Amino acid sequence: MFKNDRISAVKPSDLDLIDHAIIRELQHDARLTLQELSGRVNLSPSPCARRVRILEENGFIRGYHAEVDEARMGFPFSVFVSIKLDHQVDDRLQAFEQAVEKYEEVLDCWLMTGSRDYLLRVAVADLVEFEHFLTRRLTKVPGVAAIESSIPIRRVKRAYSRLS
């Protein structure tokens, strides 16, 4: 497993095939019992539990969550929104990020390189709800100079974290 069995300062290069298998199995089903997980990675429960704990403590596993079907929850319409700010200065960036944090429609927000400053993924019920979000909220955020929206047709690939 980890070189010298250290719990702190574990690097990605310290992980072995069993650690990768544990991460992969938990990515696909975080509700596995320790017994099920240990069976799938061919390790007895105690060493498996120890490895999971070390992976958690070192930030390789940051948490567990349920994957929710946005469409079934009433938000089948996703829009990718590129934002350009009038100035790329700290106070503008912070103000934009603080505003976006408050909008429940925004599921992802990335600070970007290139011609646009931010990329958002917005989930709403329909085009009318997106229009309201856009015109009543996003355009009102100080510093927003340009907005470009793209509507995805269908997801081609979804992957979890890449393992070496």
Side-chain angles (χ1 to χ4, degrees):
M1 165 167 190
F2 302 112
K3 295 173 184 158
N4 301 324
D5 282 350
R6 291 175 306 177
I7 292 179
S8 61
V10 176
K11 302 181 299 277
S13 60
D14 296 331
L15 304 182
D16 65 14
L17 292 175
I18 294 173
D19 300 313
H20 285 260
I22 288 170
I23 293 169
R24 192 171 15 265
E25 292 296 333
L26 290 174
Q27 282 181 319
H28 290 288
D29 186 357
R31 295 184 71 178
L32 288 172
T33 66
L34 184 57
Q35 201 70 28
E36 292 168 327
L37 179 60
S38 64
R40 289 186 184 191
V41 299
N42 297 317
L43 198 62
S44 61
S46 289
C48 185
R50 183 174 161 278
R51 285 176 181 249
V52 169
R53 180 179 50 82
I54 292 170
L55 290 166
E56 291 169 345
E57 289 174 356
N58 282 275
F60 291 100
I61 298 174
R62 295 190 321 205
Y64 301 89
H65 69 278
E67 183 177 337
V68 175
D69 186 324
E70 293 164 10
R72 289 195 49 96
M73 294 297 295
F75 308 104
F77 197 75
S78 282
V79 182
F80 292 95
V81 182
S82 295
I83 304 291
K84 181 160 184 59
L85 300 179
D86 56 2
H87 296 95
Q88 267 196 344
V89 293
D90 286 345
D91 61 329
R92 280 291 196 227
L93 297 171
Q94 289 173 359
F96 180 81
E97 291 172 15
Q98 288 171 355
V100 166
E101 280 289 331
K102 297 174 187 166
Y103 301 145
E104 61 185 21
E105 299 91 343
V106 177
L107 301 184
D108 291 301
C109 178
W110 296 85
L111 178 62
M112 304 295 289
T113 63
S115 62
R116 300 294 175 157
D117 298 312
Y118 288 95
L119 178 65
L120 313 178
R121 186 172 72 87
V122 176
V124 290
D126 54 28
L127 194 53
V128 171
E129 187 178 345
F130 177 69
E131 178 189 6
H132 289 152
F133 169 74
L134 184 67
T135 59
R136 295 177 184 172
R137 291 183 172 186
L138 201 53
T139 58
K140 306 280 193 254
V141 176
V144 172
I147 299 172
E148 183 178 306
S149 302
S150 299
I151 299 171
I153 303 300
R154 68 180 161 91
R155 177 178 277 154
V156 175
K157 179 180 177 180
R158 179 181 184 120
Y160 299 99
S161 296
R162 184 172 165 233
L163 302 174
S164 57

